[in-house]
Amino acid sequence: MNKNEILKEVQSYIRKTFLEEGTGHDYFHIERVVTNARKIIEKENADPFLVELAAWVHDIGDYKLHDGVDKSKELITTYLESLGLDESLINQVNEIVSQVSYSKGNKPTTIEAEIVQDADRLDAIGAVGIARCFAYGGSTGNILFNPEDNSKNASSIQHFYDKLFKLKDLMNTKTAKAIAEERHAYMKGFVQQFYKEVNF
Ligand code: NI
């Protein structure tokens, strides 16, 4: 398979596997991350094949989908080996994916990892980010808002403060920073309006 054929094959595997995933990590999240990554890479000097491949598989082993256990390395390796990809490429993909996660707090060490991280984070903010925040909160049994408790994981609104409002300043690339500005402002306005409606 040439590079294009590999990406097509990976895309159709991810589509089959994630189409009906209900926590906000569904196929269309992953597709948006790939689209974001393509946009960001236009202004960067990075390997497009590596970026796209890592973006397609970045959520395969996410702990949120595997009872709190991160299975990224194991599942990505098994899957990419089944496509006959060579070990050094698989290692590069694993390295990128291991640096993408917010909860692990890793700083990317390559431009490819910076791009995939930005692409994933852009999908966590703005209107889509708001929708995903409540979808994920619902899937874990969180309530929307708790005026009496602002501790971590107490409600989906709290998640804006714990993570989503911080993402704008954590973007690596210029392109992602610019896109993040608008999405951040939209989220701020949303939370303001939410408080107004609940008289908080
Ligand atoms: Ni993701």
Side-chain angles (χ1 to χ4, degrees):
M1 289 194 284
N2 67 31
K3 287 179 177 177
N4 260 335
E5 289 164 342
I6 291 167
L7 292 175
K8 278 240 156 69
E9 177 62 38
V10 174
Q11 175 178 8
S12 77
Y13 170 76
I14 295 294
R15 191 181 164 95
K16 259 186 284 169
T17 313
F18 285 86
L19 204 51
E20 292 179 5
E21 209 285 319
T23 70
H25 297 80
D26 56 88
Y27 168 72
F28 296 106
H29 156 65
I30 299 167
E31 193 185 67
R32 288 189 300 270
V33 173
V34 172
T35 306
N36 290 341
R38 283 182 189 143
K39 205 177 293 168
I40 296 168
I41 208 171
E42 285 172 17
K43 299 263 171 62
E44 306 293 334
N45 191 6
D47 177 345
F49 174 65
L50 191 53
V51 165
E52 219 176 285
L53 186 57
W56 279 121
V57 301
H58 82 276
D59 273 337
I60 283 187
D62 193 284
Y63 73 96
K64 295 187 242 27
L65 312 179
H66 297 281
D67 298 323
V69 184
D70 181 8
K71 295 197 168 176
S72 301
K73 194 167 183 200
E74 180 190 335
L75 295 179
I76 288 170
T77 303
T78 309
Y79 174 59
L80 295 184
E81 274 175 0
S82 79
L83 298 179
L85 303 190
D86 70 59
E87 202 187 319
S88 80
L89 176 62
I90 296 174
N91 287 342
Q92 282 177 291
V93 172
N94 274 318
E95 188 64 24
I96 292 172
V97 173
S98 77
Q99 295 178 354
V100 167
S101 165
Y102 177 83
S103 54
K104 287 185 208 148
N106 289 330
K107 264 254 159 236
T109 54
T110 59
I111 180 65
E112 285 80 10
E114 286 185 345
I115 292 170
V116 179
Q117 187 180 69
D118 281 0
D120 194 32
R121 288 176 172 180
L122 282 176
D123 204 54
I125 61 176
V128 169
I130 294 168
R132 290 184 68 219
C133 175
F134 290 104
Y136 181 67
S139 79
T140 62
N142 266 357
I143 61 169
L144 303 184
F145 173 61
N146 183 345
E148 297 166 357
D149 184 358
N150 63 358
S151 63
K152 205 167 164 32
N153 297 331
S155 73
S156 291
I157 286 290
Q158 186 54 33
H159 190 61
F160 287 85
Y161 296 91
D162 293 334
K163 177 177 172 185
L164 306 187
F165 286 151
K166 295 176 183 167
L167 292 179
K168 171 179 77 78
D169 294 327
L170 295 173
M171 295 294 166
N172 303 296
T173 62
K174 262 194 172 166
T175 306
K177 278 188 177 102
I179 299 170
E181 285 294 338
E182 185 199 6
R183 296 187 184 194
H184 181 83
Y186 186 85
M187 284 197 302
K188 280 269 176 196
F190 168 82
V191 170
Q192 244 173 10
Q193 175 71 17
F194 191 99
Y195 285 151
K196 204 170 142 193
E197 293 178 17
V198 299
N199 300 310
F200 185 68

